[in-house]
Amino acid sequence: MDLKKILTELDKYYRETKTTIKFTKPDKLAQIIDLNLQQKLSDEQFVNELNKIIEYSVHTNSKLFFNQLFTGSDKYNAISELVVAILNTSMYTYEMAPVFTLMECKLFDRILQLFKFEGGDVTMSPGGSASNILAIHMAKFNKFPNSNRDGIFNCTTYNYSVPKIFVSADSHYSLKKGAAFLGFGYNSVISIPTKNGRMKLDILKQELEKSTNSLIVVATAGTTVLGSFDNINEISKLCKKYGVWLHIDAAWGGAVIFSSKHKHLLNGVEYADSLTWNPHKMLKVGLQCSLLLVRDKKVSQECNSLDASYLFQPDKSYDTNLDAGKKYIMCGRRVDILKLWTKWKIDGEDGFKLAIDRLFVLRDHFIKLLDRPKFSLVFDKPDFTNVCFWYVPSKNISYKDFNKVAPRIKQKMLEDGEIMISYQPLHFNGENLPNFFRIVFINPKVDFRHLDRIIELIENYGNFPKELDN
Ligand code: ABU
């Protein structure tokens, strides 16, 4: 196998392309990709197959990819991941991952300092959902230290009632999954209504007041659809008053910490007990790269700590505190730190700042562009780089037909392949809004021409008034 030849071939992916997706129905795609497990491939066939895999996958590095809260990664990321694959090691002990363990220590110290969690601890997770679920688990262990031992079926463990988890109505669905996964059940989750995507503090206060067993309040810094930031400062005061763990889900919004202009959105973060941040989102580190910061190092170190004498021998020749695996739910853990280290070393914190500030400029320009016939903003003052809007084909359109517009345009987008934007309905300020588009600015390489092209394409795709009756 000629690695150099393959890399030359793969390098083509990074050149400018006009295609974001070559959307193909599953039955047709199954004929194109070699899914026959009985037939082996020669090296040449393998390279051909890799090219097909790339051709029919979503090109997230396209400047017109706006579908999710992440975007394509760069060549440095690809090379870092290749090195990780070549070394094929696991992060449980210093002896198995000496370089990567030291990288984690150094980066975690800096990240704790940035978010004002000095003296705390960081764990890496396979995604923001896992980080959020782990935060609930840590809050549980902090409040009920016997819960790991006695489990959920011993009612004395939880003071005879199920602990309550307070979240924003616009929070990430992982929190409900966490309540289910940890055995509390969805009904333990109290969903606090929002105004413009931010939790209503008077209602949060009322709910905390009447609860007899409050475990955790989760504030969101950058909601998935609207990009709204909860008022962390005010929420932290309530958490202090009622003695409740405060977790910040900053999976999406955490990167603003690098921008002197926008980091005020995270004001109050210094009062939180834990925080989720996904550098694989706005920092553009490759998927997946998620961190959970915990203020109380002891909770983080002890919560998942169980001895495994075959890994964590106490009589090693180095400081066994470096055996990070002791604090993880996972036993083996893939190396996610190299791609974060690479990003930091290549772009630097000043580079992060420039990129983030640029995304806000793109947002503002796009909002101005939407001030034109047939476009309408859902929310004209987003906190973050999410812009939510409708395309309105005709003024007198019924709600039912209006609800079909975004899905129909999306279908045309996929068939054409140049652009990808997501859509969704939303319960917003007491109303059920019909499907609308959400653009997220996350790729600083996007320029104003791309924004013009978004408008042009949507106007073209949206030219279908008669079809809506079907
Ligand atoms: N974890 C939320 C991601 C959803 C999105 O990319 O739109």
Side-chain angles (χ1 to χ4, degrees):
M1 149 101 60
D2 185 345
L3 190 58
K4 218 162 129 189
K5 198 172 147 207
I6 295 189
L7 285 178
T8 308
E9 198 68 24
L10 295 181
D11 191 42
K12 286 186 202 153
Y13 176 69
Y14 289 100
R15 298 193 200 132
E16 183 71 51
T17 164
K18 280 228 105 187
T19 315
T20 301
I21 181 172
K22 193 166 178 177
F23 184 77
T24 313
K25 293 266 169 65
D27 47 352
K28 192 167 169 216
L29 188 57
Q31 305 301 317
I32 296 169
I33 303 296
D34 187 352
L35 300 174
N36 179 351
L37 301 181
Q38 308 308 324
Q39 209 173 315
K40 297 203 277 185
L41 297 175
S42 67
D43 283 1
E44 200 183 324
Q45 288 168 324
F46 175 58
V47 175
N48 284 341
E49 214 46 46
L50 285 182
N51 275 325
K52 270 197 276 163
I53 290 167
I54 291 175
E55 185 180 349
Y56 286 91
S57 292
V58 177
H59 294 175
T60 59
N61 72 334
S62 151
K63 311 283 188 319
L64 291 176
F65 173 80
F66 298 100
N67 212 61
Q68 311 300 151
L69 302 182
F70 65 86
T71 182
S73 73
D74 57 23
K75 291 184 193 179
Y76 294 100
N77 180 77
I79 293 298
S80 304
E81 288 291 72
L82 182 61
V83 169
V84 167
I86 289 170
L87 292 173
N88 197 40
T89 193
S90 183
M91 289 297 300
Y92 26 59
T93 57
Y94 176 79
E95 104 188 43
M96 278 312 299
V99 178
F100 302 131
T101 300
L102 293 188
M103 273 181 184
E104 282 198 344
C105 293
K106 193 73 186 170
L107 272 163
F108 292 172
D109 275 352
R110 176 63 187 139
I111 290 165
L112 289 166
Q113 189 186 32
L114 279 166
F115 284 94
K116 300 184 183 153
F117 269 65
E118 288 97 339
D121 197 21
V122 181
T123 53
M124 297 197 89
S125 297
S129 294
S131 294
N132 282 341
I133 294 170
L134 188 58
I136 304 174
H137 180 46
M138 296 224 182
K140 176 184 70 148
F141 178 71
N142 178 59
K143 182 164 177 169
F144 306 106
N146 296 336
S147 58
N148 278 359
R149 189 192 63 204
D150 297 342
I152 54 166
F153 300 110
N154 182 346
C155 54
T156 59
T157 307
Y158 299 113
N159 301 339
Y160 297 93
S161 64
V162 179
K164 293 283 181 284
I165 298 165
F166 300 87
V167 305
S168 146
D170 286 22
S171 64
H172 195 251
Y173 71 146
S174 55
L175 299 160
K176 277 195 174 160
K177 288 192 203 180
F181 183 72
L182 294 167
F184 297 139
Y186 307 136
N187 287 347
S188 66
V189 178
I190 311 291
S191 183
I192 307 296
T194 53
K195 175 89 195 288
N196 295 338
R198 301 172 203 120
M199 262 196 278
K200 290 186 177 172
L201 299 182
D202 51 339
I203 300 189
L204 175 62
K205 185 171 186 301
Q206 280 166 24
E207 290 293 343
L208 284 168
E209 189 73 48
K210 71 179 188 213
S211 163
T212 52
N213 198 356
S214 303
L215 179 66
I216 181 170
V217 172
V218 181
T220 310
T223 58
T224 306
V225 178
L226 299 170
S228 299
F229 280 64
D230 277 321
N231 186 332
I232 302 172
N233 254 325
E234 290 305 315
I235 293 171
S236 75
K237 287 179 198 159
L238 292 174
C239 288
K240 191 165 180 214
K241 178 170 179 197
Y242 294 97
V244 185
W245 181 285
L246 172 59
H247 175 66
I248 314 291
D249 179 2
W252 172 219
V256 284
I257 205 75
F258 295 103
S259 162
S260 38
K261 201 165 168 194
H262 301 289
K263 71 175 175 192
H264 64 89
L265 290 164
L266 289 170
N267 278 355
V269 85
E270 61 273 29
Y271 305 118
D273 296 291
S274 56
L275 179 143
T276 293
W277 173 41
N278 287 359
H280 72 230
K281 290 191 156 88
M282 195 170 262
L283 219 57
K284 284 185 85 227
V285 174
L287 286 159
Q288 304 247 41
C289 187
S290 178
L291 306 170
L292 177 69
L293 281 63
V294 179
R295 190 165 302 281
D296 188 339
K297 191 169 189 161
K298 200 161 171 279
V299 171
S300 168
Q301 305 263 324
E302 290 180 5
C303 182
N304 298 307
S305 169
L306 280 179
D307 281 335
S309 54
Y310 45 87
L311 284 173
F312 308 123
Q313 302 90 339
D315 38 13
K316 290 178 175 175
S317 63
Y318 58 84
D319 176 1
T320 54
N321 286 319
L322 289 170
D323 288 347
K326 282 188 269 190
K327 67 180 183 189
Y328 278 85
I329 287 184
M330 297 86 91
C331 175
R333 178 167 61 95
R334 94 182 283 285
V335 179
D336 282 323
I337 199 66
L338 183 60
K339 58 196 175 196
L340 182 59
W341 175 87
T342 301
K343 193 77 186 153
W344 221 285
K345 294 292 284 180
I346 300 296
D347 290 9
E349 291 177 32
D350 52 340
F352 300 157
K353 176 195 175 308
L354 283 175
I356 288 155
D357 289 347
R358 158 110 188 123
L359 298 171
F360 280 86
V361 172
L362 289 171
R363 174 200 70 178
D364 291 345
H365 185 76
F366 190 64
I367 287 177
K368 277 194 201 131
L369 280 185
L370 289 177
D371 185 12
R372 65 201 306 121
K374 298 198 172 181
F375 286 84
S376 173
L377 280 164
V378 171
F379 181 38
D380 60 352
K381 287 191 181 57
D383 290 335
F384 207 29
T385 65
N386 305 40
V387 182
C388 296
F389 65 94
W390 286 286
Y391 180 75
V392 193
S394 60
K395 273 191 184 140
N396 301 323
I397 192 165
S398 67
Y399 185 96
K400 196 169 151 224
D401 278 351
F402 194 23
N403 203 33
K404 291 183 197 165
V405 172
R408 291 293 170 89
I409 293 178
K410 176 67 183 255
Q411 191 186 328
K412 293 200 173 202
M413 275 181 197
L414 290 180
E415 284 161 9
D416 189 43
E418 191 176 333
I419 188 167
M420 277 180 86
I421 308 175
S422 71
Y423 71 86
Q424 62 285 295
L426 187 75
H427 188 77
F428 177 69
N429 294 348
E431 259 187 276
N432 286 322
L433 300 184
N435 283 311
F436 57 86
F437 288 108
R438 177 203 65 176
I439 288 251
V440 281
F441 293 103
I442 190 163
N443 184 352
K445 291 194 175 141
V446 167
D447 64 36
F448 287 180
R449 284 170 312 156
H450 298 112
L451 306 191
D452 292 336
R453 186 71 181 144
I454 297 170
I455 302 283
E456 197 181 350
L457 286 171
I458 291 181
E459 281 174 341
N460 286 345
Y461 301 144
N463 193 11
F464 53 53
K466 288 193 185 103
E467 291 174 36
L468 286 169
D469 299 331
N470 303 334

